[in-house]
């Protein structure tokens, strides 16, 4: 386990990992197959896509060229960054949580819920009611009660925001390949 498994990838590392079409292909496959993929299967699928051929029609040279590239360059680079785990004994490549983190770079920011506006609305209503409670001096709406209600409302909105964001991250965005 690399030291980066417990933290967010630095942006430079993320861009470096995503800068190559072959690495994006590997990441996309790992998004689909969370239980891991054999390196030889990845190489065959990638070679078929790059050569626009069915896997059964690939030459051994086409397979080998792609396998060597993945084995010597791309998988070690992804593993060193903590994005994948590679088991050299079995030839299996496994995704880490960073795969979904990298997919976020491809999300279009069409957030259906305008969270800043919701926070601003709760705060604005809270300030108006707070000032009103001071000016009108209504016993039920003491400044302390209004402050507590606004605090609880902000906590509820923050919780909803967290759940919404977490679910969106888990269901996530697919990592595109060159031809998409």
């Amino acid at each position: 386990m690399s030291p980066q498994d417990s933290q967010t990838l630095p942006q430079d590392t993320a861009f470096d990992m995503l800068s190559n079409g072959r690495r994006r292909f590997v990441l996309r496959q790992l998004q689909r197959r969370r239980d891991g993929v054999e390196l030889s299967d990845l190489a065959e699928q990638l070679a078929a896509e790059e050569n626009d051929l069915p896997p059964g029609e690939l030459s051994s040279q086409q397979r080998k060229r792609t396998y060597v590239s993945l084995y010597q360059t791309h998988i070690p680079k992804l593993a060193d960054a903590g994005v994948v785990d590679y088991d050299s004994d079995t030839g299996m490549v496994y995704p880490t949580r960073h795969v979904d983190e990298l997919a976020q770079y491809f999300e279009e920011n069409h957030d259906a819920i305008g969270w800043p506006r919701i926070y601003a609305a709760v705060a604005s209503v809270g300030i108006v009611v707070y000032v009103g409670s001071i000016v009108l001096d209504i016993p039920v709406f003491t400044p302390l009660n209004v402050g507590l209600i606004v605090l609880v409302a902000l906590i509820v909105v923050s919780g909803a925001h967290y759940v919404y964001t977490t679910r969106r991250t888990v269901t996530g965005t697919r990592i595109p390949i060159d031809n998409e």
Side-chain angles (χ1 to χ4, degrees), residues 59-86:
S59 70
S60 61
Q61 181 66 25
Q62 290 168 320
R63 280 187 178 91
K64 183 178 179 180
R65 190 177 321 124
T66 306
Y67 181 89
V68 169
S69 171
L70 291 178
Y71 179 77
Q72 290 182 349
T73 305
H74 302 295
I75 299 300
K77 191 166 199 150
L78 290 165
D80 289 345
V83 176
V84 302
D85 289 323
Y86 177 62

Side-chain angles (χ1 to χ4, degrees), residues 7 11 17 22 37 56 61 95 103 117-118 130 138 147 166 178:
Q7 57 190 3
Q11 194 172 43
M17 295 303 104
R22 286 185 169 183
V37 183
Q61 181 66 25
R117 288 189 176 125
I118 292 172
Y130 184 79
I138 300 173
T166 303
D178 283 338

Side-chain angles (χ1 to χ4, degrees), residues 94-114:
Y94 300 96
T96 68
R97 68 176 186 80
H98 293 302
V99 170
D100 286 330
E101 187 180 318
L102 290 172
Q104 291 178 15
Y105 283 94
F106 295 98
E107 283 184 358
E108 291 186 24
N109 197 7
H110 298 294
D111 200 358
I113 300 176

